Structure formats: C-alpha cells, structure tokens
C-alpha cells in the first residue's frame, strides 16, 4: 500500500469551519455567541437544541441567508463569510421543501439551471438523471401536489443537489412529515448521505432524530455550543446538567461530590436497607419495558427519578403506586456533570 494512502483512522479534512461566529439581532445576549466548530468532510452533522438556542441562525449564516455580526465561515479553507448564497458551494433543503407548486418535479429540479441560462434539453437531462438517483424518475412530470410528502422530499433533495454543492444544509427537513414517514425518510436521508459522500448539516430539535442520523452531534443552548461528539458519547457522557436533561433518559442527582447523571436503564431497585429511599409515583407500560416514576429525597429537596425495567422483570416483580422502595446504581454508571 502506498504510504501516502490515508488510513481509516486519519482525521478527515474539514468541510466547514466556524470561527468565533456571532449573530446579534438586538441588544443583549447574542442569538449565536462566538461559536467555534469544525465539521469533518463527508460527515453527517446534526445541530441540535431547544427552540431559540440559535441552531437555525447558525445554519442560515452558513448558507448565506443571514448576515454575520462577527466571525467567519470557512468552506474547505475558503472564507465564504461575505459571499452570496449562490456562490458558496452550499445548498439548502427547507422544512416545507419550498417546491414551486405549478412546476413539474423535473422543472423544479431543473429550475436553478434555467436561471443560469442552461439550454432546456441539457438541464432536463441533468434533472432527470438526479430524479432517477432518488428513485423519482418515473414521476418526473408530476406536480408537487400530486406527490406524497416523502416523494416531495426526494424532489427537494434532487433540486438541492443539482447545483453540485459541497455541503447540503437541511433545516428541520422531516418536521412536515407524519411520524411514520419521518422515520422512513430519516433512513433514506442517512443512506443518501453515505452514498453521495457529501457533508450534511441538519438542524433539528429532536434528540431522537439527531441520534439516529448524526456522525457528530452539536448540542446548542442559548447561543453557545454545550457539547460536540458522536451520539453515543453525548448520550453516555453528557457534559452538563443541561445536556443530561435535554437528551432525556437520564436522572440528575445531587451527591456530596457534586451532580451526577445516571441513565434510567442503569437505575436499580436495591435490597432493603441500601440506597436512596423512594416512593413509586407512576407506572407506565411502554411495550418492551416499563417506566417507573419515583420520588426521592435528594440534596436539599425532593427529586423525581425514572427507572426503566425490562417488561419481563416487571412481570416477575410488579411495583404499585405508593410502594416504598430503595434505589441504587453501580459506581461506573454514575457520570459526573460539570458544575
Ligand atoms: N430575524 C430575527 N430577528 C430578531 N431575532 C431573531 C430573528 N431570528 C431569530 N431571532 C432570535 O434569535 C434567537 C435564536 O433563534 P433561532 O431561530 O436561531 O433558534 P432555533 O434554535 O433555530 O429555534 P427554533 O427551533 O424555534 O427555530 C431566538 O431568541 C430568536 O428569537
């Protein structure tokens, strides 16, 4: 093997770099507050966080749909901060897909080539080719209103890809779909991203969606990045109390050594005498498991705790509302949170 061949463990080149990127809409705390981020080429990156955390503003600044107050956006080491959207090498796929209702799927996909003055036969051939790639070739003449939500999404993807972007930006692309289709289209997005080898930057407020899709999750809170990492790392090692609570599935407890997070499937019901005294306040059947809600004295007050039991364990030993139990967890499952 030639020595110059990149090994699979070599760091991937950076597609997008944000340097001290800031957006101020008004006085007070900026919507995006001097964030630094490097997004690896060919990766699926999800920007995640609660409503108002600044994730859409960040995406729009990368796209060139929003001016930057200060800081820089680099694409493959080229500073694109002041370039117009069309000259950046990025393309955007919107929440509502933003297809023209009066144009066929083919003309929607070919639209930006028409704007560039490309001849009709050539732009139609390119658009048809892209529609074939997303398994929509046979529906090229249909208008958006004659297509299902999932089919519209594929047309929107083909339309975004026709400009041959280096980076595809997706703003809540699944939120207009019903829950069943959302899960199906999520799998398609992941497959397309891997097949195309493009960098995807996808904004979502759904932890589940980000965990299912991302190679890298970027969790934002109040204009700042709180944690960056692969989904398993963010889920298993939440850096802060905010991340533990936002990701869900964790209990945050006060201990003399500081706050800890314990996953609800790592909580155990202890034998009498050990652990924290708690009372069962809720029993929720979830199919493969049963979620127990409990109330316990913790720190200076009382805390709600949840505990996930496999269905069979609950069947062997059911718990009832108002029952007093004791809670414990193995030391390796207590994850210390930053103060
Ligand atoms: N055009 C604007 N003018 C003034 N303030 C704005 C504007 N757009 C966004 N903001 C404010 O900036 C902050 C970040 O907004 P942004 O839309 O980036 O958040 P978000 O995390 O994408 O939220 P959501 O999930 O609700 O879209 C919010 O406080 C919002 O009210």
């Amino acid at each position: 093997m030639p020595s110059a061949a990149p090994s699979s463990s070599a760091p991937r080149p950076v597609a997008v770099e944000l340097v001290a990127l800031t957006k101020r809409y008004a006085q007070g705390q900026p919507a995006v507050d001097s964030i630094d981020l490097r997004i690896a080429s060919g990766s699926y990156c999800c920007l995640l966080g609660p409503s108002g955390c600044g994730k859409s503003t960040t995406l729009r600044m990368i796209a060139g749909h929003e001016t930057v107050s200060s800081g820089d956006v680099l694409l493959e080491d080229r500073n694109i901060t002041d370039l117009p959207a069309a000259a950046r090498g990025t393309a955007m796929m919107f929440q509502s897909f933003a297809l023209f209702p009066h144009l066929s799927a083919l003309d929607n996909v070919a639209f930006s080539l028409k704007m560039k003055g490309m001849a009709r036969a050539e732009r139609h051939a390119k658009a048809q080719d892209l529609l074939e790639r997303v398994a929509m070739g046979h529906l090229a003449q249909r208008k958006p209103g004659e297509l299902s939500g999932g089919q519209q999404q594929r047309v929107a993807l083909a339309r975004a890809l026709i400009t041959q972007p280096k980076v595809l930006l997706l703003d809540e692309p699944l939120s207009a779909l019903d829950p069943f289709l959302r899960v199906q289209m999520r799998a398609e997005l992941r497959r397309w991203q891997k097949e195309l080898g493009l960098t995807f930057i996808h904004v979502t407020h759904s932890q589940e969606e980000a965990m299912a899709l991302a190679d890298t999750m970027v969790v934002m809170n109040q204009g700042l990045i709180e944690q960056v990492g692969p989904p398993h790392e963010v889920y298993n090692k939440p850096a802060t109390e905010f991340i533990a609570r936002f990701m869900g599935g964790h209990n945050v407890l006060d201990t003399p050594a500081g706050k800890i997070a314990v996953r609800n499937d790592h909580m155990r019901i202890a034998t009498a005498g050990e652990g924290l005294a708690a009372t069962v306040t809720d029993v929720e059947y979830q199919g493969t498991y049963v979620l127990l809600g409990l109330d316990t004295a913790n720190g200076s007050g009382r805390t709600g705790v949840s505990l996930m039991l496999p269905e069979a364990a609950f069947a062997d030993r059911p718990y009832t509302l108002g029952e007093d139990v004791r809670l414990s967890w193995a030391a390796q499952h207590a994850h210390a949170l930053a103060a």
Side-chain angles (χ1 to χ4, degrees):
M1 206 205 300
S3 58
S7 81
S8 58
S9 60
R12 284 193 280 187
V14 174
V16 172
E17 182 167 3
L18 310 181
V19 185
L21 190 66
T22 301
K23 180 69 189 183
R24 281 176 200 282
Y25 289 110
Q27 292 298 317
Q29 204 201 344
V32 176
D33 194 356
S34 192
I35 61 172
D36 294 308
L37 181 65
R38 291 155 73 91
I39 300 171
S41 182
S43 66
Y44 203 123
C45 173
C46 283
L47 299 183
L48 174 70
S51 182
C53 70
K55 54 195 186 297
S56 298
T57 300
T58 302
L59 196 76
R60 291 205 303 270
M61 288 194 283
I62 299 171
H65 297 155
E66 190 70 75
T67 56
V68 163
S69 301
S70 59
D72 291 293
V73 181
L74 280 66
L75 196 148
E76 294 182 349
D77 293 330
R78 192 168 57 109
N79 195 325
I80 61 167
T81 315
D82 299 317
L83 291 183
R88 295 188 162 213
T90 58
M92 183 96 154
M93 197 170 121
F94 294 96
Q95 195 172 104
S96 55
F97 313 139
L99 297 172
F100 297 117
H102 59 290
L103 295 183
S104 66
L106 189 75
D107 283 328
N108 262 289
V109 175
F111 186 78
S112 62
L113 300 182
K114 185 178 181 180
M115 292 294 103
K116 286 187 177 161
M118 188 182 283
R120 182 184 164 88
E122 193 184 350
R123 66 178 191 257
H124 276 183
K126 284 186 189 294
Q128 184 66 35
D129 185 47
L130 261 179
L131 283 169
E132 306 282 350
R133 283 186 74 170
V134 296
M136 284 292 293
H138 60 303
L139 299 175
Q141 293 311 323
R142 293 247 187 114
K143 302 221 166 101
E146 300 160 343
L147 298 170
S148 73
Q151 290 166 341
Q152 288 182 41
Q153 179 174 331
R154 292 189 207 165
V155 175
L157 181 76
R159 191 178 62 169
L161 295 178
I162 198 118
T163 57
Q164 297 187 299
K166 295 187 163 75
V167 175
L168 184 66
L169 308 170
L170 306 103
D171 190 3
E172 299 267 8
L174 302 172
S175 63
L177 306 175
D178 68 55
F180 180 76
L181 197 55
R182 197 178 302 151
V183 171
Q184 206 180 331
M185 295 315 290
R186 186 165 89 188
E188 286 207 20
L189 276 183
R190 196 173 49 221
R191 184 169 57 78
W192 285 327
Q193 188 269 333
K194 297 292 171 237
E195 269 181 33
L196 296 162
L198 275 180
T199 310
F200 277 30
I201 308 178
H202 173 141
V203 159
T204 178
H205 61 271
S206 160
Q207 308 84 314
E208 187 194 319
E209 190 169 301
M211 287 209 282
L213 283 168
D215 301 310
T216 303
M217 275 169 61
V218 177
V219 191
M220 293 184 68
N221 182 27
Q222 299 189 336
L224 298 169
I225 293 176
E226 289 244 348
Q227 191 165 6
V228 179
H232 65 89
E233 194 177 293
V234 175
Y235 190 69
N236 284 302
K237 295 182 183 163
T240 61
E241 179 173 358
F242 165 81
I243 301 273
R245 293 195 188 280
F246 180 73
M247 293 305 293
H250 288 268
N251 295 296
V252 176
L253 295 164
D254 277 318
T255 72
K259 282 191 194 289
I260 59 163
V262 183
R263 277 168 49 163
N264 59 14
D265 57 334
H266 288 151
M267 276 280 175
R268 297 277 171 263
I269 297 204
T271 48
E274 297 176 340
L276 279 178
T279 307
V280 177
T281 54
D282 193 32
V283 179
E284 202 173 86
Y285 181 65
Q286 300 263 342
T288 52
Y289 59 89
V290 175
L291 201 59
L292 296 185
L294 302 119
D295 177 69
T296 184
N298 185 236
S300 54
R302 299 202 66 82
T303 301
V305 168
S306 68
L307 183 152
M308 193 189 269
L309 279 177
E311 186 190 24
F314 186 81
D316 281 349
R317 166 61 169 97
Y319 294 90
T320 51
L321 290 183
E323 191 172 343
D324 289 325
V325 296
R326 301 196 77 89
L327 295 172
S328 72
W329 54 88
Q332 77 265 25
H333 290 143
H335 177 71
L337 297 171

